[in-house]
Amino acid sequence: MKVMKKALSLLLAVSLMVSLFTIGASARTTTKYQGKSLVILGDSIAAGFGLMPGSNDMFTQIFRMPHGEFVEKSWAKQIRDQFGFSQVTSVNLSRNMWRTDEYLRVLDPAFEDNLCEPENAMDQYISDYLMFFSELTKPGDTIKLSRDIQQAIRQADVLVFSLGSNDILTYAICKPLMLPFYQVFGRQAAVALATVTQMELKTLDSAEDLAKFALGTLNSPDLESCVWEGVASFKQNYNRLLGIIYALNPDVKIYAMGITQPFKDMMFAPGIPAQLFPRLNVEVIADVRNYITQKNRYRNRVTYIDCSDVGGYYFPDVINPMFFLRFIVAVHPDEAGHRRIAQHVAAALEAG
């Protein structure tokens, strides 16, 4: 009996020590970043699109777009508050529909100059289109972001990089849809759109410029080709953008979020799963993960966060009349999805 009591006492003491250690470790984890600066550089998922109060239909959410707020119930706000990051110096630079291209436009004058060359008019048109909605819902937003972004990056202790989905999947959807409009009357519209997003009237200075601007490809690209074109562009831009970030702040700790998987439950018709989007989504996730973790020049400096288990809102069937009205919201995580992303980011921060 005495031996049993001693064994129980020893077990209780060990359990108490483990509990105290766990509490201590938890306290250290939650205060590890106390008062430090968190910067989020991302797209609509990081911005918290789809979480604004009210209806979840496309029109309501578009006109309630966040512009750098830490939206309630978003993973960005959960992480900021959970780890005690400064609410004064922490910044969410994320913008809806933005890709690496748009961030390079406000960070790299050489990139902007090249994009605005006449032969790149179609690419500029797509970029201006994606930037347009931020300007529509908050005029002057791009100019303000351009003014503040470098200082925000310079003061960051931790930067969570959450880009890629728009570079690849949104681009693949937008390009085939926009190309016919561009070829019919989009060249004139491109000038008008660029005037809005850049606050400057774009002019063509020579016959050569006019010819380059007027001649565009008449090929209609298929979705899969556009996806892999977007992947190649993302990889190139990722390198360039991280180089700029590290030049501004060599000591910043960067966490790169992987792409989510909103198309996994997409149905073509009742009981008939869609094939193309889910397959491409999975292939893109694996390819981007492989690039960031194994092939990229910054692979030893950046921590990758896998978010491939995060889906989106419920998808109506493709043949459902509500499909296109729900699509923009449906590809974003709901509140449960944001909690899951926050768990993945938290685990990486705790280990970092």
Side-chain angles (χ1 to χ4, degrees):
M1 182 65 70
K2 289 183 179 180
V3 173
M4 180 64 72
K5 286 183 178 180
K6 286 183 178 180
L8 290 172
S9 299
L10 181 61
L11 181 60
L12 181 62
V14 170
S15 299
L16 181 60
M17 289 176 65
V18 170
S19 298
L20 291 173
F21 176 81
T22 303
I23 293 170
S26 175
R28 286 196 299 275
T29 297
T30 54
T31 61
K32 182 177 181 179
Y33 301 97
Q34 190 71 39
K36 293 185 180 296
S37 295
L38 170 69
V39 168
I40 312 291
L41 187 70
D43 51 28
S44 51
I45 295 178
F49 180 80
L51 296 178
M52 301 299 281
S55 174
N56 287 326
D57 68 87
M58 176 179 69
F59 298 108
T60 301
Q61 290 298 321
I62 283 178
F63 285 99
R64 292 180 181 178
M65 275 187 177
H67 293 81
E69 304 92 330
F70 283 88
V71 174
E72 197 66 37
K73 299 181 181 178
S74 68
W75 69 261
K77 185 176 188 301
Q78 292 178 55
I79 290 299
R80 186 198 67 179
D81 296 348
Q82 177 182 345
F83 286 90
F85 285 103
S86 170
Q87 295 192 20
V88 176
T89 60
S90 295
V91 180
N92 192 348
L93 300 173
S94 305
R95 291 297 185 269
N96 298 281
M97 300 186 76
W98 279 38
R99 307 166 297 167
T100 51
D101 296 67
E102 286 64 65
Y103 284 102
L104 283 170
R105 293 185 72 175
V106 300
L107 281 167
D108 187 347
F111 184 92
E112 168 74 357
D113 290 344
N114 182 65
L115 184 67
C116 294
E117 289 293 329
E119 61 265 36
N120 297 324
M122 176 62 188
D123 290 332
Q124 183 192 341
Y125 184 44
I126 293 176
S127 181
D128 284 333
Y129 172 80
L130 295 176
M131 296 173 76
F132 177 71
F133 288 96
S134 289
E135 287 298 311
L136 178 67
T137 53
K138 190 174 182 180
D141 183 53
T142 303
I143 291 177
K144 182 180 184 302
L145 183 62
S146 302
R147 185 183 66 237
D148 299 340
I149 189 170
Q150 290 196 23
Q151 182 56 34
I153 292 172
R154 285 192 183 99
Q155 72 181 14
D157 295 296
V158 171
L159 186 147
V160 181
F161 183 99
S162 177
L163 291 164
S165 294
N166 287 342
D167 292 69
I168 300 166
L169 299 170
T170 301
Y171 170 81
I173 295 169
C174 284
K175 185 174 180 179
L177 292 175
M178 293 178 67
L179 188 58
F181 290 95
Y182 177 76
Q183 290 169 339
V184 174
F185 54 81
R187 289 163 177 77
Q188 292 80 7
V191 173
L193 194 59
T195 302
V196 173
T197 59
Q198 299 166 59
M199 303 299 177
E200 179 183 356
L201 180 62
K202 296 296 180 181
T203 60
L204 301 172
D205 301 322
S206 67
E208 181 183 5
D209 284 352
L210 180 61
K212 289 178 180 178
F213 186 71
L215 297 175
T217 177
L218 295 178
N219 296 326
S220 181
D222 65 275
L223 180 69
E224 191 157 356
S225 296
C226 288
V227 164
W228 295 110
E229 182 181 326
V231 169
S233 177
F234 171 74
K235 291 175 180 178
Q236 183 177 0
N237 288 351
Y238 176 87
N239 258 328
R240 188 166 183 166
L241 191 51
L242 259 64
I244 293 171
I245 292 170
Y246 280 126
L248 290 170
N249 187 345
D251 299 321
V252 66
K253 178 61 178 175
I254 296 180
Y255 295 83
M257 276 179 47
I259 294 171
T260 60
Q261 193 179 168
F263 302 108
K264 63 181 179 180
D265 296 321
M266 188 176 182
M267 304 293 287
F268 178 75
I272 305 175
Q275 300 294 327
L276 181 60
F277 271 109
R279 175 178 64 80
L280 288 173
N281 197 176
V282 170
E283 291 174 2
V284 163
I285 288 170
D287 192 85
V288 169
R289 180 197 299 123
N290 183 53
Y291 178 73
I292 291 176
T293 60
Q294 299 181 33
K295 297 182 178 180
N296 184 263
R297 71 180 65 172
Y298 301 107
R299 61 188 178 278
N300 295 324
R301 299 180 68 177
V302 173
T303 300
Y304 177 80
I305 302 173
D306 194 326
C307 292
S308 59
D309 62 341
V310 178
Y313 277 89
Y314 168 74
F315 258 112
D317 303 328
V318 173
I319 61 173
N320 187 309
M322 294 297 294
F323 177 80
F324 288 104
L325 292 179
R326 290 278 297 154
F327 181 84
I328 292 179
V329 176
V331 295
H332 294 82
D334 57 9
E335 292 180 16
H338 277 268
R339 286 195 298 271
R340 187 178 292 274
I341 293 174
Q343 291 169 358
H344 293 324
V345 178
L349 288 173
E350 289 168 359

